[in-house]
Amino acid sequence: MMEGTSLCLPVVVLLLHCSPSVPVTVSTTKSKVEVEEFSDAVLSCLFHTEKDPFPRIEWKKTGKDVSFVFFNGQFRGSFEDRASIAGATVTLHKVTQEDAGEYRCEISASLDTVSLGETNVTLKVLVPPHTPFCEIPTSAVTGSGVQLRCRDQQSVPPATYSWFKDSRRISVPHHANATYLINSHTGILEFKSVTKEDSGRYSCLASNGVGSPKMCEGKHMTIEDVNVTAVVAVVMVVCLLVVVCGCGGVLLHRNGFLTRHRGRSFWISQCHGAAHISSQTLHRTEDTSNVNYIPPPQEPQDFKHTQSFML
Ligand SMILES: *[C@@H]1O[C@H](CO)[C@@H](O)[C@H](O)[C@H]1NC(C)=O
Ligand SMILES: *[C@@H]1O[C@H](CO)[C@@H](O)[C@H](O)[C@H]1NC(C)=O
């Protein structure tokens, strides 16, 4: 029926005469459409009918749920005011990721013998990279393993990542004994064991061939021989323990408590209690000056301490 088949035309005509049931034919010039987001997407649908000059044209978005795109001469849903049709070919304007998916053009020519025909078009909406989210620790201890992460969830197709240190690109190592690894697909830069030379300003670039690549803001990572924060925290905790237990010990000693008592386990249970508990106990012992004194269980809280007292 096209020019290319002119040689076969007599045969086709003959066939037409023998059996008039030539189905409505529907086709597309492009079954896979890829466009960048916020641009126009043309979903082509060509049809040829036997004799029905005005077949019914319908477009549906298929997939998990089927919804109408073009039905009864009108665009439906979110396409109502951002789509146009020429013949059966539809143009969607300003497409977003939401519009990506499978579409089906259905032609029904009720006057034709075989009245239904359809064609499918897949729309892929490409999304350029957004500024990636970068996880870069501000400090790490020499010799420790460190991971730097870079991620851009939205880009279509998924972005690949490259890392920069002090604005210079870090090459992906190819030898097995490199001190670091870069996975350009997951965006992870991993140091097996950091050294002071690894200190620097790190940043990461996400690209996917759509639009321009995007870089996250660089962050400084400092490698220290000791973890200063942890050391300060440990020192403070130790000081606190010394002060709390030391005070308790001195007071107990002054009351002749430690020598008279079996000592050690009592001493430990006192240390486990907070400062106010030991001082409470001390007040009581001061009052009675009796080792075997058991405070009356006023509150359940107190009762518990009495238990350890007896150990
Ligand atoms: C279009 O896709 C549907 C599934 O969604 C399938 O059943 C149908 O056969 C396809 N039609 C064509 C012409 O490929
Ligand atoms: C890797 O190790 C081999 C031998 O163990 C050594 O010759 C080579 O220089 C090392 N490469 C790097 C980059 O350290």
Side-chain angles (χ1 to χ4, degrees), residues 151-212:
R151 199 104 197 95
D152 167 33
Q153 302 279 12
Q154 286 115 335
S155 52
V156 181
T160 55
Y161 307 93
S162 42
W163 280 94
F164 290 76
K165 183 191 174 196
D166 300 321
S167 303
R168 232 179 277 151
R169 190 182 169 141
I170 309 172
S171 62
V172 176
H174 292 295
H175 41 84
N177 54 354
T179 60
Y180 64 93
L181 298 167
I182 292 179
N183 187 326
S184 58
H185 297 285
T186 60
I188 296 175
L189 162 59
E190 183 173 8
F191 292 96
K192 292 168 197 165
S193 165
V194 281
T195 63
K196 282 200 164 163
E197 287 82 68
D198 295 323
S199 293
R201 193 172 186 79
Y202 287 85
S203 59
C204 163
L205 186 77
S207 50
N208 71 345
V210 183
S212 53

Side-chain angles (χ1 to χ4, degrees), residues 45-108:
C45 179
L46 306 172
F47 63 89
H48 183 94
T49 56
E50 190 190 345
K51 44 182 177 281
D52 195 334
F54 302 110
R56 203 173 73 204
I57 300 164
E58 280 174 17
W59 273 93
K60 286 172 188 163
K61 190 168 190 279
T62 61
K64 267 175 265 150
D65 306 304
V66 178
S67 58
F68 278 113
V69 174
F70 183 80
F71 175 71
N72 210 5
Q74 279 183 325
F75 282 100
R76 303 284 161 166
S78 70
F79 300 103
E80 234 169 294
D81 45 11
R82 58 179 187 101
S84 51
I85 195 161
T89 294
V90 150
T91 302
L92 309 176
H93 305 291
K94 295 201 166 164
V95 292
T96 64
Q97 200 50 45
E98 303 260 289
D99 302 325
E102 296 281 324
Y103 289 82
R104 187 160 67 223
C105 171
E106 294 177 1
I107 307 291
S108 47

Side-chain angles (χ1 to χ4, degrees), residues 30 32-43 92-97 99-100 122-128 156-157 210:
K30 216 174 176 191
K32 284 193 165 56
V33 178
E34 284 190 6
V35 292
E36 226 177 283
E37 63 175 354
F38 309 125
S39 63
D40 293 355
V42 177
L43 313 182
L92 309 176
H93 305 291
K94 295 201 166 164
V95 292
T96 64
Q97 200 50 45
D99 302 325
T122 307
L123 173 63
K124 192 171 175 184
V125 178
L126 306 175
V127 181
V156 181
V210 183

